[in-house]
Amino acid sequence: MESDNNKETSKTEQIHQYITMRIGHQLFGVSVNHVVDVQRYQKITPIPLTRREILGSLNLRGRIVTNLDIRVLLEIDDKIDIEKSMSIVVEHGDELYSLVVDKVGDVVSVKSQELVKNPDNLSKLWQEVSLGIFPMQEELVVILDLDKIMPLLLEEK
Amino acid sequence: MDELIAEFLSETSEGLQTLDNELVEFERDPHNENLLNSIFRLMHTIKGTCGFLGLTKLTAVAHAGENIIDKIRHKELSVDEHVISVVLESIDTIKEIVLYISQHETEPTTDYSALIQKINDTANNVSSTPNQESTSSQEKHEEPVHSVEASSLQTIKVNVKLLENLMQIVSELVLNRNQMIQLDRTIHDHRFAPSIQRLNVITSSLQETVMETRMQPISNAWVKIPRMVRDLAKDLNKKIRLEMTGKDTELDKQLIESIKDPLVHMIRNSADHGLETPEVRIKAGKPEEGVITLKAFHQGGHIIIEASDDGNGINIGRIKSKALQNNLLTEEELALLSENQITQLIFRPGFSTAEVITDISGRGVGLDVVKRNIEEIRGTVELKSIEGKGSTFVIKIPLTLAIMPILVIESEKQKFGIPQINVVEMVRTGANFEYKIEEINENKILRLRDSLLPLITLSDLLQIKSGTSEEKNNFVVVCEVSDLQFGIIVDKIYDTEEIVLKPVSKLLKTINIYSGNTLLGSGEIIMILDPAGIIKHLTILHHEEDLEQKAQREQDKIDRENSTSFLILKTGKTRKAIPLEFVSRLEEIDVTKIEMAADKLVIQYRGGLMFLHPLDPKYKIPETGLQQIVVFGSNNHILGLAVEDIIDIIEQPIGKKHNFEEEEITSAIIGGKTTDIVNINQIFHQVFFSDEDSLEVPSLKKEYKILTVDDSPFFRKIIFQFLTERGFKAISAKTAIEAIELLNSDQKFDLIITDINMPEMDGFEFAKFCQEKEQLKDIPIIALTSNIELGKESNKLEQSGIKNCISKTNFDELMNAIYSLLKIQESVYGIR
């Protein structure tokens, strides 16, 4: 089966689809393979004694999902208007997590060769969690590597 | 993994386990031919399957094992401890290889020829008198490859993961059913009722049945134990017999996995620490062989597992000294515990009373982990012991893991659940109720029948605030975990609901007070509290407080030292505040009981008369109903301030910057709003002493030095002003200790005015201290209090040498006392 892929597209031409989202002023992208759901704002039940990143839990069609604020990790200071926010539900390690974002945008198809290496002036953290930059016409999209960012988000400080 | 290999591994593991146990049994009963044959069959099967799959090393070892057993069967080899050990060794090696294969899908590279040689050597150690029967039985070669066990039950092997999925789906269904029932209650559409009823019944049935699929006999958890006990006995040079009852008692597969390790540990403990050596046992009049008993049975929705030994039991004295040694508890705390509670101390971390830490179980890491593991499956474990006779570990586990009833409670507008199994009772507390929350050194306590129940306020534990000023902390939920009882203070209690406990996200695993969360029938998510985790936050366990918490407490203390509590009142449109320390009580009086006395409003109160005065002159006390009163004063002068509404109590540090005006404290910003501070002394004077001449500042002959002691910064300021206005030199101290330092310095004081209620050293103790010091005993002391009923303290008053005890609000009386004690004559200061 691997051979079929090789026949049709060469390595540099693999196309990935990312769903774009805005956090603060920045556009980010997350691979559609990881995204389970996209939700409008709904009531969050706070969980006492948890750190700032854990906003609480929400009821996703009968499943209890933990709602996380990635702004803290990414050090994005812009305040979020929680009632207008949306969330991306992702799966990581058998559990579902909801990541709060300001807005969810379109899905973009990106060819491997279009993905640009992270510029050197990005902070160490962003370098680690970003797979690369996708330059769109008006804006740059930072493509997030969920496998890197989730463990960081989940670890105790 | 190759399916064949996977199946082989599964079957072989089962076979090996059975082999283990049968061999141990055989050792005790070497004449049991059936057993021996069964053993041979198993070994033969394993050898066969290995060979079939081309696992050469495994086959070689299994062959050697089969060979030696065959020799035993044919009585060519006599059974002794050594032989059995060798056979067990071969089985262990097989297990090792099987494990390796399961991880790497191939045989290990180890060379087993030495072992095989050993096994064969032992096998060839032919007994000196070979039995005649051997020749005849050699011809019989009857063993079929697979033993056919006539089993009347038809069974199917199902993947555990599949069953777990099924369980999960059924749980979701249960939740959904709960939601439907809730909706049905609100919608009242009778067309739905029969269907929902049917749904209810079906769901419950389904739930029960699915649970049954996962039920397995507890013997599955006990498989490794016979072998383990045998090995332990050998290593410890003790004689131990294992008895097991209730093998068929069923419980959920998940539970079986969870209790395996704890059981192993407890039995190790019994064998190592509980049971004595044969010599000691004989001396004690016990049979040489110690007995470890495993018992399992159902009882009221739980499964009870008892692991007991008839050894020497727990030595309470040793536990006590160990607890003191490890600084787990102080002498006083130990004295408060019952023997049973002291026994349970062995479950604390770092606790091991073994004199010599044996390799087997002694490192003290064991039992606390055991307890935790059992608590994770919502069970409890307790140790019952009779010194000299033996000990029993009692494990109690609820059978229905998935669905449990919880009590829904609310604190600061957030709802939480407490497992019903931990709830003993619920108590309504408050000023008008039978039960009151009391305090000892800032720790909250409830008097419940014969005992004092330690309390913890849920909103404090969770550090939540709702910012509303509705009635809070009205209820105490009395909880029990193992042997300990404590109470959780909450604002409201709702219903009991049956919920499906969902484990918390991995994120929250470190927060030990949640045992999970769930969706209520209404769709709300609530966290389920874990009483076992909460107990750790009770004060008794303060010792484990870390430095950070301590620093925070110190900081809080400093903040509190500079804070004053204010009672916030509303009169008309203005906001007024009274420092709480002046207030004796808050009351509600029946307005119809108000009388007139010499054109002043009075009411009979506690055997005396309380004078009423509206805080706002424009305020009219209503004709009917209840009137809120703030009570001040003491003894002869009791003032009841009639207020429109008592809004709140706010504690606030006093800063120099914005809060208080320099000269007079008339207003401040309290709780973020401009608030007038009531000059209660002035009102007091107005009500009681207005017909006497008012405040003329007298001129004094000399400069009298007065030491004031009060922990309230506000009051210190007030009294400082008061004394200075009248020509006295006032020096203030924050605490009695500070006052003592000042007294010991060069300054000579003429009078001491002290508060009664102070932390660390109170007014009485301070006065007594001064009495006992030669150079201080002649300085007269006046005590100030906000307590009306001084009668109760009269003993203390006498003993302390305090001359006068006056209400903080009654400055007139204070003045009289000062002048009288300092022997300031009327002639000195003019008009009076």
Side-chain angles (χ1 to χ4, degrees):
Chain A
M1 289 179 229
E2 284 173 42
S3 46
D4 286 336
N5 266 349
N6 282 340
K7 271 194 217 149
E8 293 176 23
T9 50
S10 67
K11 207 165 157 197
T12 48
E13 275 189 33
Q14 275 182 347
I15 299 183
H16 294 278
Q17 294 193 305
Y18 299 102
I19 185 165
T20 57
M21 59 200 82
R22 192 174 296 282
I23 306 176
H25 288 308
Q26 184 63 49
L27 259 189
F28 292 90
V30 170
S31 167
V32 292
N33 295 333
H34 287 128
V35 178
V36 168
D37 207 338
V38 172
Q39 287 276 318
R40 282 224 142 68
Y41 167 72
Q42 29 166 305
K43 183 159 180 285
I44 300 173
T45 308
I47 305 172
L49 296 183
T50 50
R51 49 198 168 90
R52 294 187 291 154
E53 292 94 328
I54 302 175
L55 294 172
S57 12
L58 51 87
N59 178 350
L60 186 68
R61 286 190 292 275
R63 263 183 92 161
I64 300 179
V65 173
T66 316
N67 210 4
L68 302 170
D69 186 1
I70 31 175
R71 296 165 112 75
V72 182
L73 183 71
L74 293 173
E75 293 169 344
I76 295 176
D77 286 329
D78 305 339
K79 290 258 179 288
I80 189 170
D81 183 354
I82 197 79
E83 308 223 340
K84 294 211 186 98
S85 68
M86 297 185 77
S87 46
I88 306 273
V89 183
V90 300
E91 184 161 3
H92 178 81
D94 280 346
E95 278 192 46
L96 290 185
Y97 299 96
S98 148
L99 304 173
V100 177
V101 303
D102 289 282
K103 236 173 132 178
V104 174
D106 298 324
V107 174
V108 296
S109 294
V110 179
K111 298 198 200 118
S112 301
Q113 67 214 53
E114 287 177 294
L115 205 59
V116 179
K117 182 173 100 78
N118 292 317
D120 291 328
N121 54 357
L122 277 190
S123 78
K124 192 156 161 250
L125 176 74
W126 283 52
Q127 299 260 9
E128 213 184 303
V129 301
S130 162
L131 278 174
I133 311 289
F134 174 53
M136 292 208 316
Q137 200 169 29
E138 295 101 26
E139 281 187 74
L140 300 173
V141 182
V142 176
I143 304 294
L144 287 176
D145 185 350
L146 264 184
D147 289 326
K148 291 263 167 56
I149 206 171
M150 288 309 292
L152 285 176
L153 202 50
L154 299 178
E155 74 179 355
E156 291 292 316
K157 280 176 192 116
Chain B
M1 180 180 287
D2 189 42
E3 227 179 277
L4 263 159
I5 300 231
E7 225 183 283
F8 160 74
L9 288 172
S10 147
E11 278 186 32
T12 310
S13 301
E14 278 181 48
L16 284 169
Q17 195 58 68
T18 316
L19 206 45
D20 243 358
N21 291 341
E22 298 210 322
L23 267 164
V24 173
E25 235 185 286
F26 180 69
E27 193 180 17
R28 287 186 164 272
D29 184 8
H31 300 293
N32 192 327
E33 297 236 352
N34 287 334
L35 213 43
L36 191 54
N37 287 332
S38 164
I39 292 173
F40 178 81
R41 271 200 300 271
L42 280 162
M43 197 53 127
H44 187 81
T45 308
I46 292 176
K47 188 199 80 174
T49 336
C50 297
F52 179 67
L53 287 170
L55 302 164
T56 45
K57 289 194 199 230
L58 197 47
T59 315
V61 178
H63 183 77
E66 182 203 35
N67 185 39
I68 192 173
I69 292 178
D70 205 23
K71 291 234 159 124
I72 299 173
R73 214 157 63 103
H74 293 136
K75 306 224 169 40
E76 288 169 29
L77 183 62
S78 55
V79 177
D80 60 19
E81 217 184 280
H82 173 68
V83 169
I84 298 278
S85 291
V86 166
V87 177
L88 285 175
E89 203 183 322
S90 69
I91 295 178
D92 282 341
T93 312
I94 295 176
K95 278 192 211 163
E96 221 180 88
I97 304 176
V98 167
L99 179 64
Y100 189 92
I101 297 176
S102 72
Q103 290 165 344
H104 303 116
E105 292 195 39
T106 175
E107 281 187 311
T109 48
T110 327
D111 181 14
Y112 294 103
S113 46
L115 172 67
I116 295 173
Q117 189 64 49
K118 182 173 165 190
I119 300 174
N120 288 335
D121 282 345
T122 315
N124 293 329
N125 202 351
V126 184
S127 63
S128 42
T129 51
N131 236 302
Q132 303 303 19
E133 291 162 57
S134 59
T135 38
S136 50
S137 46
Q138 248 177 1
E139 278 143 33
K140 292 192 217 157
H141 212 63
E142 356 98 36
E143 321 319 326
V145 174
H146 285 283
S147 56
V148 177
E149 269 162 44
S151 125
S152 48
L153 297 166
Q154 299 233 22
T155 55
I156 293 182
K157 267 195 182 177
V158 176
N159 194 313
V160 174
K161 202 82 182 40
L162 195 56
L163 273 183
E164 271 178 26
N165 284 349
L166 186 56
M167 196 70 218
Q168 179 71 21
I169 298 172
V170 171
S171 299
E172 299 290 334
L173 180 61
V174 167
L175 275 183
N176 211 303
R177 184 266 322 253
N178 290 351
Q179 284 184 12
M180 301 286 289
I181 292 186
Q182 268 251 357
L183 281 171
D184 183 45
R185 282 194 201 139
T186 44
I187 295 180
H188 296 306
D189 189 338
H190 60 264
R191 291 173 295 172
F192 282 113
S195 292
I196 292 200
Q197 195 42 40
R198 186 97 189 97
L199 175 66
N200 196 0
V201 171
I202 296 174
T203 310
S204 296
S205 270
L206 183 58
Q207 186 195 344
E208 271 173 44
T209 316
V210 170
M211 295 227 54
E212 266 179 67
T213 63
R214 291 167 48 102
M215 298 292 258
Q216 290 195 326
I218 197 170
S219 46
N220 288 5
W222 290 353
V223 275
K224 292 207 163 90
I225 299 185
R227 170 78 193 269
M228 183 183 83
V229 169
R230 182 224 179 244
D231 289 343
L232 274 173
K234 221 172 148 227
D235 292 334
L236 295 167
N237 283 320
K238 293 180 185 171
K239 292 206 168 44
I240 309 179
R241 187 176 82 237
L242 175 68
E243 281 179 5
M244 303 191 277
T245 20
K247 273 200 224 179
D248 297 325
T249 314
E250 292 198 331
L251 66 165
D252 187 276
K253 172 149 181 64
Q254 197 183 337
L255 287 177
I256 289 188
E257 291 307 312
S258 310
I259 58 162
K260 274 186 181 166
D261 277 346
L263 271 178
V264 162
H265 218 97
M266 287 188 273
I267 294 194
R268 284 203 140 131
N269 217 287
S270 286
D272 198 4
H273 299 306
L275 291 176
E276 317 92 323
T277 60
E279 303 83 51
V280 175
R281 285 183 71 88
I282 292 179
K283 272 199 210 141
K286 291 185 185 173
E288 205 185 28
E289 195 181 45
V291 184
I292 292 184
T293 315
L294 266 181
K295 221 183 349 170
F297 53 94
H298 285 155
Q299 192 186 71
H302 289 76
I303 179 166
I304 316 282
I305 305 169
E306 290 181 359
S308 34
D309 65 71
D310 66 345
N312 52 20
I314 292 286
N315 185 319
I316 299 276
R318 286 248 299 270
I319 297 197
K320 276 194 189 167
S321 53
K322 195 74 189 194
L324 286 172
Q325 207 181 326
N326 290 358
N327 287 322
L328 279 174
L329 293 168
T330 62
E331 289 253 15
E332 297 85 47
E333 285 165 337
L334 263 182
L336 290 173
L337 298 177
S338 69
E339 264 200 22
N340 198 358
Q341 286 172 314
I342 295 180
T343 310
Q344 308 318 317
L345 288 176
I346 60 166
F347 289 107
R348 297 270 191 109
F351 210 97
S352 168
T353 56
E355 297 302 336
V356 173
I357 296 177
T358 61
D359 194 32
I360 293 181
S361 62
R363 241 171 283 271
V365 259
L367 289 176
D368 67 308
V369 175
V370 165
K371 186 159 186 248
R372 215 180 317 144
N373 286 347
I374 292 181
E375 280 168 2
E376 262 174 31
I377 49 174
R378 294 190 293 118
T380 55
V381 61
E382 214 190 353
L383 178 63
K384 291 196 181 350
S385 159
I386 302 177
E387 223 170 309
K389 289 269 164 73
S391 329
T392 306
F393 283 99
V394 181
I395 304 175
K396 206 168 154 192
I397 306 173
L399 278 174
T400 46
L401 238 202
I403 299 213
M404 63 191 245
I406 54 152
L407 180 70
V408 181
I409 50 97
E410 184 180 283
S411 180
E412 298 288 346
K413 294 269 176 234
Q414 288 185 36
K415 286 193 188 154
F416 300 92
I418 303 179
Q420 189 67 49
I421 191 182
N422 295 112
V423 176
V424 173
E425 64 183 291
M426 298 170 268
V427 168
R428 178 78 158 100
T429 61
N432 300 330
F433 295 90
E434 194 190 327
Y435 293 99
K436 280 198 179 57
I437 296 174
E438 303 177 73
E439 275 193 23
I440 298 179
N441 193 25
E442 285 172 22
N443 299 320
K444 297 201 178 0
I445 307 276
L446 182 75
R447 268 191 255 204
L448 193 65
R449 295 181 285 276
D450 306 323
S451 56
L452 291 181
L453 200 69
L455 301 177
I456 186 162
T457 311
L458 191 58
S459 52
D460 286 345
L461 175 66
L462 300 176
Q463 293 168 31
I464 49 175
K465 277 196 181 88
S466 65
T468 60
S469 54
E470 268 180 35
E471 279 225 41
K472 293 181 194 179
N473 297 336
N474 301 319
F475 293 89
V476 171
V477 180
V478 182
C479 298
E480 187 174 271
V481 174
S482 300
D483 211 29
L484 286 164
Q485 279 203 2
F486 66 102
I488 305 178
I489 304 175
V490 303
D491 298 337
K492 276 195 197 153
I493 296 186
Y494 290 92
D495 282 330
T496 304
E497 278 199 41
E498 296 234 323
I499 54 109
V500 175
L501 184 73
K502 293 174 181 238
V504 287
S505 158
K506 287 195 207 91
L507 281 179
L508 307 175
K509 279 270 187 285
T510 50
I511 305 176
N512 60 359
I513 48 172
Y514 300 125
S515 62
N517 51 15
T518 188
L519 282 171
L520 291 180
S522 59
E524 288 169 272
I525 300 175
I526 61 168
M527 304 300 296
I528 309 295
L529 304 170
D530 180 11
I534 293 180
I535 253 190
K536 299 196 173 93
H537 290 263
L538 281 182
T539 304
I540 288 183
L541 305 157
H542 248 351
H543 302 281
E544 278 128 45
E545 197 184 52
D546 62 4
L547 282 171
E548 204 192 322
Q549 285 178 303
K550 202 166 175 200
Q552 184 59 44
R553 276 206 311 162
E554 295 295 299
Q555 185 56 42
D556 288 345
K557 198 172 156 201
I558 295 174
D559 286 340
R560 252 180 290 133
E561 275 170 7
N562 297 332
S563 315
T564 307
S565 286
F566 291 95
L567 185 68
I568 312 292
L569 311 161
K570 188 168 90 126
T571 49
K573 293 219 181 96
T574 49
R575 222 170 113 97
K576 293 208 157 101
I578 300 180
L580 204 54
E581 69 209 74
F582 286 112
V583 178
S584 297
R585 273 199 133 79
L586 296 176
E587 295 279 7
E588 266 184 356
I589 55 166
D590 182 357
V591 300
T592 56
K593 298 219 162 73
I594 300 178
E595 306 167 62
M596 287 289 266
D599 76 42
K600 288 206 173 108
L601 292 169
V602 297
I603 187 168
Q604 294 191 30
Y605 184 70
R606 292 173 177 254
L609 270 184
M610 174 161 70
F611 284 75
L612 300 170
H613 179 88
L615 179 57
D616 179 1
K618 291 200 210 108
Y619 177 69
K620 275 186 101 174
I621 297 176
E623 311 263 296
T624 55
L626 298 170
Q627 169 62 47
Q628 298 213 36
I629 300 284
V630 185
V631 184
F632 305 88
S634 63
N635 298 338
N636 310 324
H637 304 106
I638 304 178
L639 171 67
L641 213 56
V643 298
E644 195 178 316
D645 201 8
I646 297 173
I647 302 177
D648 207 347
I649 294 179
I650 296 181
E651 190 173 332
Q652 190 161 296
I654 309 172
K656 284 193 184 146
K657 296 176 213 165
H658 310 289
N659 286 348
F660 290 110
E661 291 165 38
E662 282 306 311
E663 294 306 315
E664 276 197 40
I665 310 166
T666 52
S667 71
I669 299 172
I670 302 176
K673 299 191 180 142
T674 308
T675 317
D676 288 337
I677 298 188
V678 177
N679 187 338
I680 192 68
N681 300 103
Q682 198 174 57
I683 297 181
F684 213 81
H685 174 85
Q686 205 182 321
V687 173
F688 294 112
F689 302 102
S690 58
D691 41 353
E692 297 174 27
D693 287 345
S694 51
L695 334 128
E696 290 257 350
V697 182
S699 47
L700 301 170
K701 231 182 176 177
K702 70 171 222 179
E703 195 191 57
Y704 291 97
K705 243 193 213 151
I706 303 185
L707 175 65
T708 62
V709 193
D710 198 307
D711 61 319
S712 155
F714 184 88
F715 193 74
R716 285 200 296 274
K717 196 157 183 180
I718 294 224
I719 195 151
F720 180 86
Q721 268 181 278
F722 179 77
L723 293 172
T724 317
E725 272 170 20
R726 282 153 188 74
F728 296 100
K729 177 107 171 93
I731 311 255
S732 48
K734 271 190 238 168
T735 63
I737 312 282
E738 214 183 290
I740 292 172
E741 275 173 44
L742 283 167
L743 287 167
N744 285 335
S745 71
D746 292 325
Q747 308 188 63
K748 286 229 156 280
F749 291 96
D750 299 294
L751 181 73
I752 299 175
I753 301 178
T754 176
D755 187 12
I756 297 277
N757 278 330
M758 295 188 289
E760 286 170 7
M761 196 190 241
D762 71 16
F764 295 127
E765 289 166 342
F766 171 60
K768 198 150 171 230
F769 178 88
C770 294
Q771 277 288 88
E772 286 159 12
K773 286 264 181 284
E774 190 55 43
Q775 65 268 45
L776 301 177
K777 65 179 169 60
D778 292 323
I779 308 178
I781 305 179
I782 299 177
L784 291 177
T785 178
S786 52
N787 228 330
I788 294 192
E789 273 127 60
L790 298 172
K792 288 188 184 159
E793 317 265 16
S794 56
N795 278 350
K796 281 199 187 159
L797 206 54
E798 270 182 57
Q799 284 181 359
S800 60
I802 293 177
K803 306 281 180 198
N804 291 55
C805 195
I806 300 171
S807 160
K808 276 187 177 179
T809 48
N810 196 341
F811 273 12
D812 290 83
E813 206 180 316
L814 177 63
M815 240 20 254
N816 286 340
I818 294 177
Y819 289 142
S820 128
L821 285 172
L822 290 176
K823 302 195 174 40
I824 298 170
Q825 307 289 322
E826 287 189 18
S827 55
V828 169
Y829 59 84
I831 316 154
R832 188 64 173 132

